[in-house]
Amino acid sequence: MRLKRQIPSVDLQVVGEKIASRTAASDPTTSEGAAGLWKPFALSGTPDELVNRWGKETLEHYMGIYLSGRAPEAGILLSSAYELFEEPLDELPAWADVVPAFRRLTPADISFYDPSGRHVDGYSYDTIIAEGRLYLGWICRELEGLGVKIVERKVSRVDEIEAGRVIVDCCGLGSRELFQDMEIFGIRGHVLRVKAPWVRHHVESHGVDATRPAYIIPNTDTVVLGGTKERSEDRTSTAEERQEIFDRCKAIVPSLEAAELVGHWVGLRPGREGIRLEMDEVDGRVVVHNVGHGGSGLTLAWGCAGDVVELLKPLLV
């Protein structure tokens, strides 16, 4: 969308095996299934200054939508966030200065937010939730309104894309097959969706096992409970693991005992040792790669898109 807005004359086409708003609710794309909390998450190897720049641009983009009349259709919510830790923090997150109202929690704050009594440190901040299924559907409608053609089909080889086009690779895990990027790997994320309209804030508990966080993220009509963060591509959802996730979340928000389970899902975040945002040549074609965002796709999307546009401008203007 940034490319079309800056260069309206460009002939832009979006091609994907699954297109937001056209996929079944039971099998969404990774970004559609995501709760959409703005927070750098499940990233490694990407410099903090890039994460903060991309993240700040994206947060400001979402805030612009939130302050407009289009927030409901785009799925943009403003939320406070509380993160609790079972061990003392050695340092604050590198993105602390990007979000508004960031502060270290006092012991009194922690006892107020922590019914389990397990946590000894934490911080709070305000952030945006961009609910994946709604935001991506809104993006698709905006693109179509700008005259962009959206095609739902699987592309297995570069030569299946018509000649003469510059290609932007936003394929996530699919970049392994299409562009032989074998540095990409899946980061398994298992979440539940419940009906709990009284839960209005993001709460997260960090224990000693970093692969088993407990996070609670409100969306427009459900609340997302998670989850897992492990290097795996197993999309199996077991009753045992669902109960473990529910119990971990209930420990920090006990009222979830009354919540109604309405769905569960396992998605694969596209991990990589550093986001790949660079120009390349594949089979004589110009390709700009924009992959490897881990659990931060919706957190960094708008900012990364801006860098993609800057790489493409000399070729298109």
Side-chain angles (χ1 to χ4, degrees), residues 151-230:
V151 179
E152 190 169 46
R153 68 179 174 90
K154 180 177 174 63
V155 176
S156 300
R157 303 188 315 274
V158 172
D159 62 15
E160 293 177 7
I161 301 171
E162 64 184 271
R165 288 195 178 272
V166 174
I167 301 167
V168 180
D169 165 26
C170 300
C171 299
L173 291 178
S175 193
R176 285 188 306 207
E177 176 185 356
L178 192 56
F179 298 103
Q180 292 73 56
D181 186 345
M182 306 315 293
E183 293 186 39
I184 291 182
F185 55 88
I187 304 173
R188 183 174 179 271
H190 190 180
V191 297
L192 317 180
R193 284 189 179 269
V194 301
K195 291 284 188 181
W198 59 90
V199 176
R200 302 293 181 86
H201 309 280
H202 166 57
V203 186
E204 186 164 353
S205 169
H206 300 264
V208 293
D209 185 354
T211 69
R212 293 289 185 272
Y215 53 83
I216 298 158
I217 304 173
N219 277 186
T220 52
D221 55 4
T222 60
V223 176
V224 176
L225 311 181
T228 59
K229 189 183 71 172
E230 56 192 338

Side-chain angles (χ1 to χ4, degrees), residues 78-159:
L78 179 63
S79 175
S80 55
Y82 308 91
E83 301 206 20
L84 307 173
F85 295 79
E86 293 183 11
E87 296 183 340
L89 289 166
D90 294 326
E91 59 184 2
L92 296 178
W95 46 266
D97 290 336
V98 177
V99 291
F102 186 97
R103 69 180 183 91
R104 188 85 167 259
L105 295 178
T106 66
D109 294 330
I110 293 168
S111 65
F112 184 81
Y113 296 124
D114 176 25
S116 71
R118 303 192 321 265
H119 301 89
V120 298
D121 212 337
Y123 47 75
S124 68
Y125 55 96
D126 291 342
T127 189
I128 285 286
I129 296 168
E131 187 173 346
R133 66 182 180 89
L134 296 178
Y135 178 69
L136 290 180
W138 177 79
I139 284 283
C140 284
R141 293 190 297 274
E142 290 290 297
L143 287 172
E144 289 173 328
L146 292 169
V148 175
K149 185 178 181 181
I150 300 178
V151 179
E152 190 169 46
R153 68 179 174 90
K154 180 177 174 63
V155 176
S156 300
R157 303 188 315 274
V158 172
D159 62 15

Side-chain angles (χ1 to χ4, degrees), residues 237-302:
S237 170
T238 66
E240 179 182 12
E241 189 172 60
R242 293 195 295 271
Q243 187 63 50
E244 289 175 356
I245 291 170
F246 183 74
D247 289 344
R248 290 201 303 271
C249 292
K250 190 175 66 172
I252 49 175
V253 179
S255 64
L256 286 170
E257 179 68 40
E260 175 193 357
L261 177 66
V262 294
H264 55 83
W265 173 73
V266 178
L268 301 178
R269 311 173 183 102
R272 199 176 188 278
E273 294 302 321
I275 289 171
R276 186 183 189 188
L277 205 166
E278 63 182 5
M279 189 169 283
D280 191 13
E281 183 176 308
V282 180
D283 298 337
R285 309 285 296 277
V286 175
V287 178
V288 177
H289 299 286
N290 183 23
V291 293
H293 297 78
S296 301
L298 287 166
T299 296
L300 307 179
W302 193 257

